[in-house]
Each structure stands twice: as structure tokens, then as C-alpha cells.
Amino acid sequence: LRRMTDAIDHRGPDDEGVWVDRESGVGLGHRRLSIVDLSPTGHQPMLSPDGRLVLNYNGEIYNHRALRTEIEACGAVPEGGWRGHCDTEVLLAAISVWGLEAALSKAVGMFALALWDASARTLILARDRFGEKPLYYGWAGGDLLFGSELKSLRLHPPFDPDIDRNGLGLFAGPA
């Protein structure tokens, strides 16, 4: 996972992080380009204060300040208060308060994300409405791989770069 993350260090030279839940077999790696909050409080993968959710996120939520104000207005400030001023923390809080679908419907921006819910033992991959940020995914052996660039996925040992010629026809439209 660290090698896969290092392969895309040019995408995020400001910080790096790896989170692994060995029991569930889930691992998330991240490279960070600090734009909204330059402090270490934007470190990812980011855990919710209760430890239930883990967010790995690439992008920018343009209306994160408005979402933060809305979260505060409904009395749902994260346990222990806000750690910083980054859009990742606001998005994670919004998901905790409103649920993923409602939070993403309120979020205005460009993003691709992976959200692990430790309680439900589910992994959700999502992108913004226009699909501006890249999100590649697929199976390698019995492992689901995903990332913002194919070159990181190629470093996973069971990755097979050969093209399935039989499956290629599924991408063609009607003749």
C-alpha cells in the first residue's frame, strides 16, 4: 500500500498517510496536496471522532464553510470540537450528521472519495456529479483496488495489465 501511494507522490507532496484495518482487510493510502488548510489537521486518511468512519478524499468542497456553519447551526459539532479548517473534516462531519447521500447532495465541488464504515463494514467509492476527479477501480486477484492513477494500481502484486479482449466488446456501443 505504501509503494502504491508513493507512486503518486507528485499528486500530493505535502503529506502522506496510510490506514489499515487488518481484521477487515481494508487499507487506504493517501497523498496530500494542501490547498484549503495547510496544517497537519487535514491529514488523511481521516477518521471520524468516534472512529466509525474513515475518509480518503481527493478534491475540493467549494462550499465547505457554508456546510460547516450548517453543521454548527444544528448543534452537531464533532465530538471534541473542530480539529482544523479543512474541507475534508467538514465533509466527514457532514457524512456523520446527514449520511453520505445527503452530505454529497449538499457538497459543491470536485472530488473522488473512499469511505470505510467500520460499523457497517462497507466501503463506498463516490465521485462528484460531473466526475471531474479521477477514480480508477477494479479487481486484482481477490482484491478490490482503487486510486486516482492506474500507475499506483499496477504496483499491487496480483495486478494483471493484460487487456481482456472478450470483455472489450462490452464497451462498444450498438453498431
Side-chain angles (χ1 to χ4, degrees), residues 16-91:
E16 63 182 284
V18 169
W19 175 88
V20 175
D21 179 344
R22 293 193 190 288
E23 182 181 319
S24 64
V26 175
L28 303 173
H30 188 79
R31 294 299 302 213
R32 181 173 178 224
L33 174 63
S34 303
I35 296 174
V36 174
D37 182 352
L38 307 181
S39 77
T41 59
H43 180 76
Q44 291 186 54
M46 185 177 285
L47 278 69
S48 60
D50 63 3
R52 176 182 174 185
L53 302 174
V54 184
L55 179 64
N56 213 30
Y57 154 80
N58 173 30
E60 186 176 352
I61 304 298
Y62 305 133
N63 65 332
H64 70 95
R65 287 183 186 92
L67 293 175
R68 183 176 174 141
T69 300
E70 190 175 343
I71 291 166
E72 291 169 346
C74 67
V77 174
E79 183 181 322
W82 297 103
R83 293 177 274 202
H85 300 283
C86 73
D87 54 348
T88 309
E89 182 180 17
V90 172
L91 181 58

Side-chain angles (χ1 to χ4, degrees), residues 117-137:
D117 183 325
S119 178
R121 297 182 60 84
T122 57
L123 177 71
I124 298 171
L125 304 177
R127 294 173 72 193
D128 63 84
R129 292 177 268 300
F130 295 107
E132 190 167 337
K133 288 294 183 181
L135 179 60
Y136 296 95
Y137 61 93

